[in-house]
Amino acid sequence: MASPAMANVNSAALADSDSLHAKRDTGLSLQNSNDVESRHVVLSDEIAAGVTDSAAERALCRKFDLRLLPVLAIMYLFNALDKGNLGNAQTAGLSKDLNFGPGQYNQIVGIFFVPYVLFAPPLAMLGKRFGPARVLPLLMFCFGTFTLLTAATTNFGGIFALRWFLGIAESAFFPLVIYYQTTFYRRGELARRLAIFYAASNIANAFSGLLAFGVLQIRSTLVDHPWRWLFIVEGSVTVCFSIFAFFYLPQSAAEAWFLNEEEKALAYRRIQVDSSSTVNEKYVLKESLRVFKRPVTYGFLIVEMCLGVPLQAVSLFLPQIVQRLVNDTVTINLYTVAPNVTGAAMLLLLAFTSDGLRIRFPFVCLGFAFTFIGFIIYAAIEDVHAQIRVAYFATFMMCWGTSAPSVLLSTWYNNNVAHEGERLTLTSVGVPLANLMGLVPSYVFQEKDAPRYGPALITTACFGATGCLVAGCLGFFMLWDNKRRNLRQGVNLTAKDVPTLQLRDGPWVEEFRWFL
């Protein structure tokens, strides 16, 4: 039985929808009235966006920004820490202390990505069924627990098994966070919010270096090796914060404890006209799989694959890359801080600009270009100590190039899918696919190539160049298709002119316009 609050929200949304249709029928001018295409109209920005009170919307967004984003960002920070702390432990002698054989470190890095891909779609579906606000903290509790247990491992088999279970626990986390945010923010507001959230990953990588720098100074008889403290500290804090998040996060905007009834109605209406075709729609697998009937879907997945290699190369092997510049183990981790911090800054800059211009693909291409240039420069330098400034600057470009495309790419295809089930399905396949490509750097960064890692750097650069090319082709196709649709209908529509409540069937709807 629906709650009174929910009934008020639904009635307000229906009234708003009726109002939209009435305005279309009575208040909008038709173009080419004698033409068969005269039924297509140019929607005003105000009606298309469903704006009733821009000041109220800004106040609502501020509440979401202050109440949701910090908690989600902290959750993702711990997600990134628990996934990436292996590289810091490796620089402190993990392989040597646990008596790894040749290639076994690469195996424990690589095994993480297999369950990450296999379990992401089913866990994301469970997240849609029971609500991201409940499933996300449970996943966080699990991967925090597995991180804690890693501190107790004494051999290769133990850490190998825990990395498998860690992959399961982290698999649906990022797709569910993206989906969760699409139920609170409009399409044109999403990139900068996801960027703030995802910047936590860069901060995590930077903080990971600082944390490792501090932890490795500890001299204690409680543990036999200092790197164990990394897993103890990070795992403990992760578990504690997951308990808080479970009771804090609202199930949806319509049930947010920090909104009044008017704000809940406005939040519902915003998503109905500029994010989802049907808000809080029940997940139906057969309907959701229709997203794979669209050829553009496979273009997005190819770009995700190209993104995954440099993204995971930086996340997992930046300490090893920087190791070429310095010799001291503790200083190595400190040298990873600045590139990651500037990566977060570049991510925010490109995401805010992308939202302001309401365009995605040029910024995705720019990120891939940074990746390509950074890895090529670093690979081409023969004597890094003679050109240490240039070499270190190249590591900055690596971080710039892997941060921005990850957020903007996910935002780009979420902006173009109005059906909530299809959106979640595509994200739960695309994000894990990018992470699966972490298998490539896991096996091309070979110890025999250290410290230069020439083959690995060149391989990573090639994926960056390919991603830039494919994303550019995809963007220009969308630009061409929008112009073709406008010419055929005799109108001049863009993505912001068409409410998403009309776009359940995606590109098969005549009024559909690609969000570039």
Side-chain angles (χ1 to χ4, degrees), residues 247-323:
F247 294 101
Y248 180 87
L249 293 177
Q251 284 278 26
S252 67
E255 300 174 62
W257 52 270
F258 50 82
L259 300 182
N260 59 37
E261 296 305 316
E262 290 182 0
E263 290 170 330
K264 290 177 181 178
L266 177 59
Y268 186 97
R269 185 164 59 247
R270 281 162 35 87
I271 302 307
Q272 185 78 60
V273 299
D274 198 19
S275 183
S276 299
S277 56
T278 304
V279 180
N280 296 330
E281 185 174 11
K282 183 179 179 181
Y283 188 87
V284 179
L285 180 61
K286 184 177 180 180
E287 289 184 359
S288 301
L289 291 176
R290 290 184 308 181
V291 71
F292 296 108
K293 292 183 179 180
R294 305 179 189 178
V296 168
T297 295
Y298 298 96
F300 282 129
L301 293 179
I302 291 172
V303 181
E304 283 279 22
M305 293 171 67
C306 293
L307 170 65
V309 175
L311 181 66
Q312 297 303 327
V314 169
S315 176
L316 297 171
F317 291 99
L318 186 59
Q320 284 76 21
I321 293 172
V322 171
Q323 196 167 16

Side-chain angles (χ1 to χ4, degrees), residues 435-494:
N435 280 273
L436 177 65
M437 297 306 292
L439 289 170
V440 176
S442 297
Y443 287 98
V444 296
F445 277 86
Q446 296 288 331
E447 291 183 12
K448 62 184 177 64
D449 297 322
R452 187 170 180 180
Y453 296 109
L457 297 175
I458 293 171
T459 300
T460 307
C462 290
F463 276 92
T466 305
C468 182
L469 177 64
V470 176
C473 291
L474 199 57
F476 282 114
F477 162 75
M478 291 179 177
L479 191 64
W480 170 81
D481 192 49
N482 281 354
K483 290 183 178 180
R484 180 181 64 85
R485 289 170 183 262
N486 283 337
L487 287 173
R488 188 171 62 193
Q489 298 169 21
V491 295
N492 187 28
L493 297 179
T494 62

Side-chain angles (χ1 to χ4, degrees), residues 396-476:
F396 283 68
M397 295 194 74
M398 295 175 193
C399 292
W400 298 349
T402 55
S403 300
S406 180
V407 167
L408 293 176
L409 178 59
S410 298
T411 307
W412 189 15
Y413 58 68
N414 272 272
N415 287 162
N416 282 296
V417 182
H419 187 287
E420 288 189 348
E422 291 182 5
R423 195 160 69 216
L424 178 63
T425 300
L426 178 55
T427 307
S428 66
V429 172
V431 172
L433 186 61
N435 280 273
L436 177 65
M437 297 306 292
L439 289 170
V440 176
S442 297
Y443 287 98
V444 296
F445 277 86
Q446 296 288 331
E447 291 183 12
K448 62 184 177 64
D449 297 322
R452 187 170 180 180
Y453 296 109
L457 297 175
I458 293 171
T459 300
T460 307
C462 290
F463 276 92
T466 305
C468 182
L469 177 64
V470 176
C473 291
L474 199 57
F476 282 114

Side-chain angles (χ1 to χ4, degrees), residues 162-177:
L162 285 171
R163 290 289 293 183
W164 170 273
F165 288 110
L166 185 68
I168 295 175
E170 295 203 4
S171 60
F173 192 85
F174 192 46
L176 278 177
V177 168

